[in-house]
PDB file of all heavy atoms in Angstrom:
ATOM      1  N   SER A 719     150.314  81.792  72.307  1.00  0.00           N
ATOM      2  CA  SER A 719     149.024  81.190  72.418  1.00  0.00           C
ATOM      3  C   SER A 719     148.523  80.356  71.316  1.00  0.00           C
ATOM      4  O   SER A 719     147.873  79.383  71.529  1.00  0.00           O
ATOM      5  CB  SER A 719     147.948  82.443  72.673  1.00  0.00           C
ATOM      6  OG  SER A 719     147.915  83.192  71.508  1.00  0.00           O
ATOM      7  N   GLU A 720     149.128  80.675  70.138  1.00  0.00           N
ATOM      8  CA  GLU A 720     148.762  79.732  68.995  1.00  0.00           C
ATOM      9  C   GLU A 720     149.437  78.424  69.230  1.00  0.00           C
ATOM     10  O   GLU A 720     148.835  77.362  68.911  1.00  0.00           O
ATOM     11  CB  GLU A 720     149.166  80.312  67.651  1.00  0.00           C
ATOM     12  CG  GLU A 720     148.376  81.499  67.211  1.00  0.00           C
ATOM     13  CD  GLU A 720     146.842  81.170  67.042  1.00  0.00           C
ATOM     14  OE1 GLU A 720     146.513  80.066  66.486  1.00  0.00           O
ATOM     15  OE2 GLU A 720     146.029  81.989  67.487  1.00  0.00           O
ATOM     16  N   ALA A 721     150.668  78.355  69.645  1.00  0.00           N
ATOM     17  CA  ALA A 721     151.330  77.086  69.974  1.00  0.00           C
ATOM     18  C   ALA A 721     150.605  76.229  70.961  1.00  0.00           C
ATOM     19  O   ALA A 721     150.367  75.073  70.927  1.00  0.00           O
ATOM     20  CB  ALA A 721     152.766  77.328  70.410  1.00  0.00           C
ATOM     21  N   LEU A 722     150.021  77.010  72.022  1.00  0.00           N
ATOM     22  CA  LEU A 722     149.350  76.309  73.036  1.00  0.00           C
ATOM     23  C   LEU A 722     148.016  75.774  72.566  1.00  0.00           C
ATOM     24  O   LEU A 722     147.471  74.717  72.946  1.00  0.00           O
ATOM     25  CB  LEU A 722     149.014  77.311  74.218  1.00  0.00           C
ATOM     26  CG  LEU A 722     150.255  77.538  75.141  1.00  0.00           C
ATOM     27  CD1 LEU A 722     150.129  78.742  75.970  1.00  0.00           C
ATOM     28  CD2 LEU A 722     150.388  76.258  76.055  1.00  0.00           C
ATOM     29  N   LYS A 723     147.425  76.478  71.614  1.00  0.00           N
ATOM     30  CA  LYS A 723     146.258  76.072  71.099  1.00  0.00           C
ATOM     31  C   LYS A 723     146.422  74.825  70.265  1.00  0.00           C
ATOM     32  O   LYS A 723     145.661  73.851  70.314  1.00  0.00           O
ATOM     33  CB  LYS A 723     145.646  77.185  70.164  1.00  0.00           C
ATOM     34  CG  LYS A 723     144.087  77.215  70.187  1.00  0.00           C
ATOM     35  CD  LYS A 723     143.556  78.275  69.342  1.00  0.00           C
ATOM     36  CE  LYS A 723     143.658  79.647  69.945  1.00  0.00           C
ATOM     37  NZ  LYS A 723     143.238  80.653  69.041  1.00  0.00           N
ATOM     38  N   LYS A 724     147.554  74.837  69.411  1.00  0.00           N
ATOM     39  CA  LYS A 724     147.794  73.673  68.646  1.00  0.00           C
ATOM     40  C   LYS A 724     148.022  72.423  69.431  1.00  0.00           C
ATOM     41  O   LYS A 724     147.701  71.350  69.060  1.00  0.00           O
ATOM     42  CB  LYS A 724     149.085  74.054  67.839  1.00  0.00           C
ATOM     43  CG  LYS A 724     149.360  72.888  66.727  1.00  0.00           C
ATOM     44  CD  LYS A 724     150.287  73.605  65.649  1.00  0.00           C
ATOM     45  CE  LYS A 724     150.656  72.463  64.667  1.00  0.00           C
ATOM     46  NZ  LYS A 724     149.436  71.922  63.942  1.00  0.00           N
ATOM     47  N   THR A 725     148.710  72.656  70.646  1.00  0.00           N
ATOM     48  CA  THR A 725     148.942  71.431  71.447  1.00  0.00           C
ATOM     49  C   THR A 725     147.829  71.208  72.528  1.00  0.00           C
ATOM     50  O   THR A 725     148.072  70.500  73.477  1.00  0.00           O
ATOM     51  CB  THR A 725     150.322  71.602  72.191  1.00  0.00           C
ATOM     52  OG1 THR A 725     150.208  72.778  73.067  1.00  0.00           O
ATOM     53  CG2 THR A 725     151.500  71.846  71.224  1.00  0.00           C
ATOM     54  N   GLU A 726     146.697  71.792  72.240  1.00  0.00           N
ATOM     55  CA  GLU A 726     145.578  71.753  73.130  1.00  0.00           C
ATOM     56  C   GLU A 726     145.943  72.055  74.621  1.00  0.00           C
ATOM     57  O   GLU A 726     145.528  71.238  75.523  1.00  0.00           O
ATOM     58  CB  GLU A 726     144.877  70.404  72.992  1.00  0.00           C
ATOM     59  CG  GLU A 726     144.350  70.256  71.604  1.00  0.00           C
ATOM     60  CD  GLU A 726     143.482  69.070  71.313  1.00  0.00           C
ATOM     61  OE1 GLU A 726     143.695  68.025  72.068  1.00  0.00           O
ATOM     62  OE2 GLU A 726     142.703  69.051  70.469  1.00  0.00           O
ATOM     63  N   GLY A 727     146.757  72.995  74.872  1.00  0.00           N
ATOM     64  CA  GLY A 727     147.080  73.432  76.148  1.00  0.00           C
ATOM     65  C   GLY A 727     148.314  72.707  76.777  1.00  0.00           C
ATOM     66  O   GLY A 727     148.644  72.968  77.924  1.00  0.00           O
ATOM     67  N   ASN A 728     148.844  71.740  76.060  1.00  0.00           N
ATOM     68  CA  ASN A 728     149.933  70.974  76.633  1.00  0.00           C
ATOM     69  C   ASN A 728     151.166  71.850  76.546  1.00  0.00           C
ATOM     70  O   ASN A 728     151.803  72.151  75.505  1.00  0.00           O
ATOM     71  CB  ASN A 728     150.084  69.657  75.893  1.00  0.00           C
ATOM     72  CG  ASN A 728     151.184  68.765  76.533  1.00  0.00           C
ATOM     73  OD1 ASN A 728     152.282  69.269  76.872  1.00  0.00           O
ATOM     74  ND2 ASN A 728     150.887  67.477  76.538  1.00  0.00           N
ATOM     75  N   ARG A 729     151.648  72.267  77.765  1.00  0.00           N
ATOM     76  CA  ARG A 729     152.736  73.215  77.840  1.00  0.00           C
ATOM     77  C   ARG A 729     154.073  72.559  77.400  1.00  0.00           C
ATOM     78  O   ARG A 729     154.901  73.306  76.680  1.00  0.00           O
ATOM     79  CB  ARG A 729     152.891  73.774  79.222  1.00  0.00           C
ATOM     80  CG  ARG A 729     151.636  74.575  79.685  1.00  0.00           C
ATOM     81  CD  ARG A 729     151.701  74.773  81.179  1.00  0.00           C
ATOM     82  NE  ARG A 729     150.676  75.562  81.627  1.00  0.00           N
ATOM     83  CZ  ARG A 729     149.391  74.980  82.078  1.00  0.00           C
ATOM     84  NH1 ARG A 729     149.198  73.684  81.822  1.00  0.00           N
ATOM     85  NH2 ARG A 729     148.478  75.697  82.535  1.00  0.00           N
ATOM     86  N   SER A 730     154.324  71.249  77.709  1.00  0.00           N
ATOM     87  CA  SER A 730     155.577  70.657  77.371  1.00  0.00           C
ATOM     88  C   SER A 730     155.668  70.538  75.888  1.00  0.00           C
ATOM     89  O   SER A 730     156.661  70.883  75.286  1.00  0.00           O
ATOM     90  CB  SER A 730     155.691  69.307  77.986  1.00  0.00           C
ATOM     91  OG  SER A 730     155.525  69.394  79.420  1.00  0.00           O
ATOM     92  N   GLN A 731     154.543  70.110  75.257  1.00  0.00           N
ATOM     93  CA  GLN A 731     154.558  69.967  73.783  1.00  0.00           C
ATOM     94  C   GLN A 731     154.728  71.314  73.102  1.00  0.00           C
ATOM     95  O   GLN A 731     155.480  71.435  72.150  1.00  0.00           O
ATOM     96  CB  GLN A 731     153.287  69.414  73.307  1.00  0.00           C
ATOM     97  CG  GLN A 731     153.250  67.864  73.449  1.00  0.00           C
ATOM     98  CD  GLN A 731     151.863  67.342  72.961  1.00  0.00           C
ATOM     99  OE1 GLN A 731     151.172  67.950  72.287  1.00  0.00           O
ATOM    100  NE2 GLN A 731     151.651  66.097  73.438  1.00  0.00           N
ATOM    101  N   ALA A 732     154.085  72.396  73.683  1.00  0.00           N
ATOM    102  CA  ALA A 732     154.142  73.714  73.115  1.00  0.00           C
ATOM    103  C   ALA A 732     155.646  74.247  73.204  1.00  0.00           C
ATOM    104  O   ALA A 732     156.167  74.814  72.276  1.00  0.00           O
ATOM    105  CB  ALA A 732     153.198  74.678  73.802  1.00  0.00           C
TER     106      ALA A 732
END
Side-chain angles (χ1 to χ4, degrees):
S719 64
E720 288 303 316
L722 281 162
K723 215 181 280 174
K724 189 162 176 60
T725 61
E726 297 186 335
N728 185 316
R729 297 168 180 83
S730 305
Q731 278 177 20

